[in-house]
Amino acid sequence: MIRVALTHGIAGVGVLAFHLLALPLPWLLGPIAACLMAALMGVPMKSIPVLNNAMRSILGVAVGATFTTALVLSMAGYWPTLLLVPVMVFVIGLIGVPYFQRLWGFDFATSYYSAMPGGLQDMLLFGEDAGGDVRALSLIHATRVMVIVVALPFILKGYWDVDLSNPPGVPAATLPVTQLALMVVAGLAGWQIAKAVGLFGASILGPMILAGILAMLGILEHRPPSEAIWAAQFFIGMTVGTKYAGVTGHEVRRDVVAALGFCVILLVLSALFVEVIHLFVLAPPMETLLAFAPGGQAEMTVLALIAGADMAFVIAHHVLRIVTVIVGAPIAAKLFRRAG
């Protein structure tokens, strides 16, 4: 309990520091930075997984609440860029596996599941079943998410002058109590139903689907209040930072540095795909970057919400990326190993 309280306190200091320094996204990036520094200093930290998942469900409700029938129907028009998602995943694997295996000396299983831009839990599970190094996989994927999430706000601000300081919603006091209650029901029920049927990313996708249905029926008329979105950012940022708890010097020199190099590769690949899509006028460049940047699903949802991006476009591409990796990873790993 002391470690949990200490972790929350460290994350809170990060928020305060980012506010005082006028840095972007203090509720998200502040906890990431503070918890990362504390972890590297050897401070014992711990988060509450159930509470973290509950906070992720807020984002699912926020996305689902924006859905309309017209918006959902328009998703069929995303097919040209959606077709590029599996292509990008394939290219990432083609470059990433040799990068980790030949340059850094990881075994095949660790190299393959380190390269795949899927969900952390899924990649750890697949990697462990294949005999990979679970600790290395955890640090590599945590670093991928952290670097992408930290880099994107500065890119959004630098290239498109996106105002990231606007409140992500209206104050809770201005919303009807019935609407707030509906959001809680959509979040909790959607999460548990999705979990019961085995849906990946249940804590986000379940609430998103249920809230989307309620929104299209005209029952849910508002997005979660700004306080809820800030809380979600806080816990997501803290979760990313605390994944480095207990990291050793050897792990930093090998796993984290290898991951940082791979992040450069991922950012370059993302930029190339964004440029191709922009040249063929298939989608707006900002939405394309948010849709193709291989960060965590929750973190990309936060950035898209705050940037005012087309939520349906961004989420559709990330869901397809995760599906592609989860469905294709075990099959592709076997084929890749035989070819090697």
PDB file of all heavy atoms in Angstrom, residues 140-167:
ATOM      1  N   ILE A 140      10.925  -3.477 -23.748  1.00  0.00           N
ATOM      2  CA  ILE A 140      10.957  -3.010 -25.137  1.00  0.00           C
ATOM      3  C   ILE A 140       9.613  -2.404 -25.534  1.00  0.00           C
ATOM      4  O   ILE A 140       9.560  -1.315 -26.125  1.00  0.00           O
ATOM      5  CB  ILE A 140      11.357  -4.162 -26.081  1.00  0.00           C
ATOM      6  CG1 ILE A 140      12.846  -4.489 -25.896  1.00  0.00           C
ATOM      7  CG2 ILE A 140      11.070  -3.795 -27.548  1.00  0.00           C
ATOM      8  CD1 ILE A 140      13.282  -5.784 -26.540  1.00  0.00           C
ATOM      9  N   HIS A 141       8.524  -3.076 -25.186  1.00  0.00           N
ATOM     10  CA  HIS A 141       7.208  -2.540 -25.555  1.00  0.00           C
ATOM     11  C   HIS A 141       6.848  -1.310 -24.729  1.00  0.00           C
ATOM     12  O   HIS A 141       6.207  -0.381 -25.235  1.00  0.00           O
ATOM     13  CB  HIS A 141       6.145  -3.626 -25.428  1.00  0.00           C
ATOM     14  CG  HIS A 141       6.149  -4.592 -26.564  1.00  0.00           C
ATOM     15  ND1 HIS A 141       5.752  -4.242 -27.850  1.00  0.00           N
ATOM     16  CD2 HIS A 141       6.546  -5.892 -26.638  1.00  0.00           C
ATOM     17  CE1 HIS A 141       5.887  -5.288 -28.640  1.00  0.00           C
ATOM     18  NE2 HIS A 141       6.363  -6.294 -27.943  1.00  0.00           N
ATOM     19  N   ALA A 142       7.256  -1.289 -23.459  1.00  0.00           N
ATOM     20  CA  ALA A 142       7.014  -0.097 -22.635  1.00  0.00           C
ATOM     21  C   ALA A 142       7.757   1.105 -23.221  1.00  0.00           C
ATOM     22  O   ALA A 142       7.225   2.220 -23.267  1.00  0.00           O
ATOM     23  CB  ALA A 142       7.468  -0.353 -21.200  1.00  0.00           C
ATOM     24  N   THR A 143       8.968   0.863 -23.701  1.00  0.00           N
ATOM     25  CA  THR A 143       9.756   1.943 -24.301  1.00  0.00           C
ATOM     26  C   THR A 143       9.135   2.414 -25.610  1.00  0.00           C
ATOM     27  O   THR A 143       9.092   3.614 -25.901  1.00  0.00           O
ATOM     28  CB  THR A 143      11.208   1.474 -24.539  1.00  0.00           C
ATOM     29  OG1 THR A 143      11.771   1.047 -23.292  1.00  0.00           O
ATOM     30  CG2 THR A 143      12.049   2.592 -25.128  1.00  0.00           C
ATOM     31  N   ARG A 144       8.649   1.456 -26.407  1.00  0.00           N
ATOM     32  CA  ARG A 144       7.968   1.822 -27.667  1.00  0.00           C
ATOM     33  C   ARG A 144       6.797   2.766 -27.395  1.00  0.00           C
ATOM     34  O   ARG A 144       6.667   3.821 -28.023  1.00  0.00           O
ATOM     35  CB  ARG A 144       7.466   0.559 -28.385  1.00  0.00           C
ATOM     36  CG  ARG A 144       6.493   0.850 -29.533  1.00  0.00           C
ATOM     37  CD  ARG A 144       6.090  -0.406 -30.275  1.00  0.00           C
ATOM     38  NE  ARG A 144       5.384  -1.378 -29.485  1.00  0.00           N
ATOM     39  CZ  ARG A 144       4.060  -1.382 -29.299  1.00  0.00           C
ATOM     40  NH1 ARG A 144       3.312  -0.434 -29.841  1.00  0.00           N
ATOM     41  NH2 ARG A 144       3.488  -2.325 -28.566  1.00  0.00           N
ATOM     42  N   VAL A 145       5.957   2.364 -26.459  1.00  0.00           N
ATOM     43  CA  VAL A 145       4.788   3.187 -26.138  1.00  0.00           C
ATOM     44  C   VAL A 145       5.214   4.547 -25.609  1.00  0.00           C
ATOM     45  O   VAL A 145       4.687   5.591 -26.009  1.00  0.00           O
ATOM     46  CB  VAL A 145       3.889   2.452 -25.113  1.00  0.00           C
ATOM     47  CG1 VAL A 145       2.790   3.385 -24.603  1.00  0.00           C
ATOM     48  CG2 VAL A 145       3.275   1.211 -25.746  1.00  0.00           C
ATOM     49  N   MET A 146       6.186   4.545 -24.694  1.00  0.00           N
ATOM     50  CA  MET A 146       6.619   5.798 -24.080  1.00  0.00           C
ATOM     51  C   MET A 146       7.181   6.773 -25.114  1.00  0.00           C
ATOM     52  O   MET A 146       6.805   7.952 -25.144  1.00  0.00           O
ATOM     53  CB  MET A 146       7.683   5.522 -23.016  1.00  0.00           C
ATOM     54  CG  MET A 146       8.158   6.794 -22.300  1.00  0.00           C
ATOM     55  SD  MET A 146       9.667   6.541 -21.358  1.00  0.00           S
ATOM     56  CE  MET A 146      10.872   6.275 -22.664  1.00  0.00           C
ATOM     57  N   VAL A 147       8.065   6.301 -25.968  1.00  0.00           N
ATOM     58  CA  VAL A 147       8.704   7.179 -26.946  1.00  0.00           C
ATOM     59  C   VAL A 147       7.687   7.742 -27.931  1.00  0.00           C
ATOM     60  O   VAL A 147       7.685   8.944 -28.231  1.00  0.00           O
ATOM     61  CB  VAL A 147       9.830   6.433 -27.696  1.00  0.00           C
ATOM     62  CG1 VAL A 147      10.348   7.267 -28.868  1.00  0.00           C
ATOM     63  CG2 VAL A 147      10.973   6.124 -26.745  1.00  0.00           C
ATOM     64  N   ILE A 148       6.808   6.888 -28.443  1.00  0.00           N
ATOM     65  CA  ILE A 148       5.792   7.347 -29.401  1.00  0.00           C
ATOM     66  C   ILE A 148       4.880   8.382 -28.756  1.00  0.00           C
ATOM     67  O   ILE A 148       4.574   9.432 -29.339  1.00  0.00           O
ATOM     68  CB  ILE A 148       4.947   6.158 -29.913  1.00  0.00           C
ATOM     69  CG1 ILE A 148       5.823   5.125 -30.641  1.00  0.00           C
ATOM     70  CG2 ILE A 148       3.827   6.650 -30.823  1.00  0.00           C
ATOM     71  CD1 ILE A 148       6.447   5.605 -31.916  1.00  0.00           C
ATOM     72  N   VAL A 149       4.449   8.105 -27.519  1.00  0.00           N
ATOM     73  CA  VAL A 149       3.522   9.001 -26.828  1.00  0.00           C
ATOM     74  C   VAL A 149       4.184  10.337 -26.497  1.00  0.00           C
ATOM     75  O   VAL A 149       3.542  11.386 -26.563  1.00  0.00           O
ATOM     76  CB  VAL A 149       2.982   8.333 -25.545  1.00  0.00           C
ATOM     77  CG1 VAL A 149       2.184   9.327 -24.713  1.00  0.00           C
ATOM     78  CG2 VAL A 149       2.107   7.152 -25.901  1.00  0.00           C
ATOM     79  N   VAL A 150       5.451  10.306 -26.132  1.00  0.00           N
ATOM     80  CA  VAL A 150       6.159  11.548 -25.794  1.00  0.00           C
ATOM     81  C   VAL A 150       6.488  12.351 -27.052  1.00  0.00           C
ATOM     82  O   VAL A 150       6.404  13.587 -27.056  1.00  0.00           O
ATOM     83  CB  VAL A 150       7.449  11.238 -25.008  1.00  0.00           C
ATOM     84  CG1 VAL A 150       8.301  12.493 -24.849  1.00  0.00           C
ATOM     85  CG2 VAL A 150       7.100  10.678 -23.627  1.00  0.00           C
ATOM     86  N   ALA A 151       6.827  11.667 -28.138  1.00  0.00           N
ATOM     87  CA  ALA A 151       7.234  12.369 -29.364  1.00  0.00           C
ATOM     88  C   ALA A 151       6.058  13.014 -30.088  1.00  0.00           C
ATOM     89  O   ALA A 151       6.176  14.133 -30.606  1.00  0.00           O
ATOM     90  CB  ALA A 151       7.958  11.398 -30.296  1.00  0.00           C
ATOM     91  N   LEU A 152       4.924  12.330 -30.133  1.00  0.00           N
ATOM     92  CA  LEU A 152       3.800  12.813 -30.944  1.00  0.00           C
ATOM     93  C   LEU A 152       3.267  14.186 -30.544  1.00  0.00           C
ATOM     94  O   LEU A 152       2.975  15.002 -31.429  1.00  0.00           O
ATOM     95  CB  LEU A 152       2.670  11.782 -30.941  1.00  0.00           C
ATOM     96  CG  LEU A 152       2.870  10.565 -31.844  1.00  0.00           C
ATOM     97  CD1 LEU A 152       1.631   9.695 -31.851  1.00  0.00           C
ATOM     98  CD2 LEU A 152       3.204  10.976 -33.273  1.00  0.00           C
ATOM     99  N   PRO A 153       3.112  14.502 -29.251  1.00  0.00           N
ATOM    100  CA  PRO A 153       2.618  15.843 -28.928  1.00  0.00           C
ATOM    101  C   PRO A 153       3.486  16.962 -29.489  1.00  0.00           C
ATOM    102  O   PRO A 153       2.975  17.985 -29.958  1.00  0.00           O
ATOM    103  CB  PRO A 153       2.620  15.858 -27.393  1.00  0.00           C
ATOM    104  CG  PRO A 153       2.457  14.430 -27.013  1.00  0.00           C
ATOM    105  CD  PRO A 153       3.213  13.665 -28.047  1.00  0.00           C
ATOM    106  N   PHE A 154       4.802  16.768 -29.464  1.00  0.00           N
ATOM    107  CA  PHE A 154       5.701  17.790 -29.997  1.00  0.00           C
ATOM    108  C   PHE A 154       5.611  17.866 -31.522  1.00  0.00           C
ATOM    109  O   PHE A 154       5.716  18.940 -32.112  1.00  0.00           O
ATOM    110  CB  PHE A 154       7.134  17.495 -29.538  1.00  0.00           C
ATOM    111  CG  PHE A 154       7.319  17.630 -28.053  1.00  0.00           C
ATOM    112  CD1 PHE A 154       7.260  16.516 -27.227  1.00  0.00           C
ATOM    113  CD2 PHE A 154       7.517  18.873 -27.477  1.00  0.00           C
ATOM    114  CE1 PHE A 154       7.409  16.638 -25.854  1.00  0.00           C
ATOM    115  CE2 PHE A 154       7.663  19.009 -26.100  1.00  0.00           C
ATOM    116  CZ  PHE A 154       7.614  17.895 -25.286  1.00  0.00           C
ATOM    117  N   ILE A 155       5.393  16.718 -32.163  1.00  0.00           N
ATOM    118  CA  ILE A 155       5.200  16.707 -33.618  1.00  0.00           C
ATOM    119  C   ILE A 155       3.887  17.398 -33.984  1.00  0.00           C
ATOM    120  O   ILE A 155       3.830  18.208 -34.917  1.00  0.00           O
ATOM    121  CB  ILE A 155       5.222  15.259 -34.151  1.00  0.00           C
ATOM    122  CG1 ILE A 155       6.604  14.623 -33.938  1.00  0.00           C
ATOM    123  CG2 ILE A 155       4.847  15.229 -35.632  1.00  0.00           C
ATOM    124  CD1 ILE A 155       6.666  13.148 -34.274  1.00  0.00           C
ATOM    125  N   LEU A 156       2.830  17.087 -33.245  1.00  0.00           N
ATOM    126  CA  LEU A 156       1.524  17.705 -33.502  1.00  0.00           C
ATOM    127  C   LEU A 156       1.600  19.223 -33.327  1.00  0.00           C
ATOM    128  O   LEU A 156       1.015  19.981 -34.108  1.00  0.00           O
ATOM    129  CB  LEU A 156       0.469  17.131 -32.552  1.00  0.00           C
ATOM    130  CG  LEU A 156       0.107  15.655 -32.738  1.00  0.00           C
ATOM    131  CD1 LEU A 156      -0.819  15.183 -31.626  1.00  0.00           C
ATOM    132  CD2 LEU A 156      -0.539  15.418 -34.095  1.00  0.00           C
ATOM    133  N   LYS A 157       2.312  19.650 -32.297  1.00  0.00           N
ATOM    134  CA  LYS A 157       2.449  21.082 -32.040  1.00  0.00           C
ATOM    135  C   LYS A 157       3.344  21.745 -33.075  1.00  0.00           C
ATOM    136  O   LYS A 157       3.048  22.826 -33.591  1.00  0.00           O
ATOM    137  CB  LYS A 157       3.031  21.289 -30.634  1.00  0.00           C
ATOM    138  CG  LYS A 157       3.199  22.746 -30.227  1.00  0.00           C
ATOM    139  CD  LYS A 157       1.868  23.426 -30.032  1.00  0.00           C
ATOM    140  CE  LYS A 157       2.055  24.853 -29.547  1.00  0.00           C
ATOM    141  NZ  LYS A 157       0.772  25.587 -29.464  1.00  0.00           N
ATOM    142  N   GLY A 158       4.447  21.074 -33.423  1.00  0.00           N
ATOM    143  CA  GLY A 158       5.415  21.670 -34.335  1.00  0.00           C
ATOM    144  C   GLY A 158       4.931  21.759 -35.772  1.00  0.00           C
ATOM    145  O   GLY A 158       5.167  22.765 -36.440  1.00  0.00           O
ATOM    146  N   TYR A 159       4.243  20.720 -36.264  1.00  0.00           N
ATOM    147  CA  TYR A 159       3.839  20.684 -37.676  1.00  0.00           C
ATOM    148  C   TYR A 159       2.452  21.276 -37.924  1.00  0.00           C
ATOM    149  O   TYR A 159       2.215  21.903 -38.951  1.00  0.00           O
ATOM    150  CB  TYR A 159       3.871  19.236 -38.185  1.00  0.00           C
ATOM    151  CG  TYR A 159       5.254  18.771 -38.573  1.00  0.00           C
ATOM    152  CD1 TYR A 159       6.125  18.249 -37.624  1.00  0.00           C
ATOM    153  CD2 TYR A 159       5.714  18.878 -39.889  1.00  0.00           C
ATOM    154  CE1 TYR A 159       7.408  17.832 -37.960  1.00  0.00           C
ATOM    155  CE2 TYR A 159       6.985  18.464 -40.236  1.00  0.00           C
ATOM    156  CZ  TYR A 159       7.832  17.948 -39.279  1.00  0.00           C
ATOM    157  OH  TYR A 159       9.100  17.549 -39.616  1.00  0.00           O
ATOM    158  N   TRP A 160       1.529  21.042 -37.009  1.00  0.00           N
ATOM    159  CA  TRP A 160       0.155  21.487 -37.244  1.00  0.00           C
ATOM    160  C   TRP A 160      -0.326  22.519 -36.222  1.00  0.00           C
ATOM    161  O   TRP A 160      -1.469  22.940 -36.271  1.00  0.00           O
ATOM    162  CB  TRP A 160      -0.789  20.278 -37.252  1.00  0.00           C
ATOM    163  CG  TRP A 160      -0.518  19.359 -38.399  1.00  0.00           C
ATOM    164  CD1 TRP A 160      -0.791  19.577 -39.720  1.00  0.00           C
ATOM    165  CD2 TRP A 160       0.115  18.070 -38.341  1.00  0.00           C
ATOM    166  NE1 TRP A 160      -0.382  18.508 -40.482  1.00  0.00           N
ATOM    167  CE2 TRP A 160       0.170  17.565 -39.673  1.00  0.00           C
ATOM    168  CE3 TRP A 160       0.628  17.280 -37.306  1.00  0.00           C
ATOM    169  CZ2 TRP A 160       0.726  16.328 -39.974  1.00  0.00           C
ATOM    170  CZ3 TRP A 160       1.180  16.057 -37.611  1.00  0.00           C
ATOM    171  CH2 TRP A 160       1.228  15.580 -38.933  1.00  0.00           C
ATOM    172  N   ASP A 161       0.564  22.908 -35.313  1.00  0.00           N
ATOM    173  CA  ASP A 161       0.236  23.902 -34.291  1.00  0.00           C
ATOM    174  C   ASP A 161      -1.058  23.523 -33.559  1.00  0.00           C
ATOM    175  O   ASP A 161      -1.921  24.362 -33.310  1.00  0.00           O
ATOM    176  CB  ASP A 161       0.092  25.295 -34.920  1.00  0.00           C
ATOM    177  CG  ASP A 161       0.161  26.403 -33.863  1.00  0.00           C
ATOM    178  OD1 ASP A 161       0.783  26.180 -32.805  1.00  0.00           O
ATOM    179  OD2 ASP A 161      -0.434  27.476 -34.084  1.00  0.00           O
ATOM    180  N   VAL A 162      -1.174  22.245 -33.235  1.00  0.00           N
ATOM    181  CA  VAL A 162      -2.354  21.759 -32.516  1.00  0.00           C
ATOM    182  C   VAL A 162      -2.322  22.276 -31.084  1.00  0.00           C
ATOM    183  O   VAL A 162      -1.299  22.183 -30.398  1.00  0.00           O
ATOM    184  CB  VAL A 162      -2.393  20.214 -32.518  1.00  0.00           C
ATOM    185  CG1 VAL A 162      -3.565  19.701 -31.684  1.00  0.00           C
ATOM    186  CG2 VAL A 162      -2.483  19.698 -33.944  1.00  0.00           C
ATOM    187  N   ASP A 163      -3.433  22.828 -30.626  1.00  0.00           N
ATOM    188  CA  ASP A 163      -3.527  23.322 -29.252  1.00  0.00           C
ATOM    189  C   ASP A 163      -3.854  22.158 -28.330  1.00  0.00           C
ATOM    190  O   ASP A 163      -4.982  21.655 -28.325  1.00  0.00           O
ATOM    191  CB  ASP A 163      -4.609  24.407 -29.157  1.00  0.00           C
ATOM    192  CG  ASP A 163      -4.638  25.072 -27.781  1.00  0.00           C
ATOM    193  OD1 ASP A 163      -3.839  24.658 -26.907  1.00  0.00           O
ATOM    194  OD2 ASP A 163      -5.448  25.995 -27.588  1.00  0.00           O
ATOM    195  N   LEU A 164      -2.859  21.716 -27.575  1.00  0.00           N
ATOM    196  CA  LEU A 164      -3.037  20.571 -26.691  1.00  0.00           C
ATOM    197  C   LEU A 164      -3.405  20.989 -25.269  1.00  0.00           C
ATOM    198  O   LEU A 164      -3.454  20.151 -24.364  1.00  0.00           O
ATOM    199  CB  LEU A 164      -1.750  19.733 -26.658  1.00  0.00           C
ATOM    200  CG  LEU A 164      -1.307  19.147 -28.000  1.00  0.00           C
ATOM    201  CD1 LEU A 164       0.055  18.486 -27.877  1.00  0.00           C
ATOM    202  CD2 LEU A 164      -2.338  18.155 -28.517  1.00  0.00           C
ATOM    203  N   SER A 165      -3.648  22.284 -25.078  1.00  0.00           N
ATOM    204  CA  SER A 165      -3.955  22.786 -23.737  1.00  0.00           C
ATOM    205  C   SER A 165      -5.457  22.918 -23.488  1.00  0.00           C
ATOM    206  O   SER A 165      -5.879  23.224 -22.370  1.00  0.00           O
ATOM    207  CB  SER A 165      -3.289  24.150 -23.522  1.00  0.00           C
ATOM    208  OG  SER A 165      -3.799  25.112 -24.435  1.00  0.00           O
ATOM    209  N   ASN A 166      -6.259  22.731 -24.537  1.00  0.00           N
ATOM    210  CA  ASN A 166      -7.709  22.845 -24.356  1.00  0.00           C
ATOM    211  C   ASN A 166      -8.226  21.726 -23.467  1.00  0.00           C
ATOM    212  O   ASN A 166      -7.732  20.589 -23.531  1.00  0.00           O
ATOM    213  CB  ASN A 166      -8.430  22.773 -25.710  1.00  0.00           C
ATOM    214  CG  ASN A 166      -8.222  24.034 -26.527  1.00  0.00           C
ATOM    215  OD1 ASN A 166      -8.111  25.124 -25.973  1.00  0.00           O
ATOM    216  ND2 ASN A 166      -8.161  23.890 -27.841  1.00  0.00           N
ATOM    217  N   PRO A 167      -9.218  22.016 -22.616  1.00  0.00           N
ATOM    218  CA  PRO A 167      -9.826  20.947 -21.801  1.00  0.00           C
ATOM    219  C   PRO A 167     -10.386  19.863 -22.710  1.00  0.00           C
ATOM    220  O   PRO A 167     -10.971  20.156 -23.751  1.00  0.00           O
ATOM    221  CB  PRO A 167     -10.949  21.671 -21.047  1.00  0.00           C
ATOM    222  CG  PRO A 167     -10.550  23.108 -21.047  1.00  0.00           C
ATOM    223  CD  PRO A 167      -9.831  23.323 -22.349  1.00  0.00           C
TER     224      PRO A 167
END
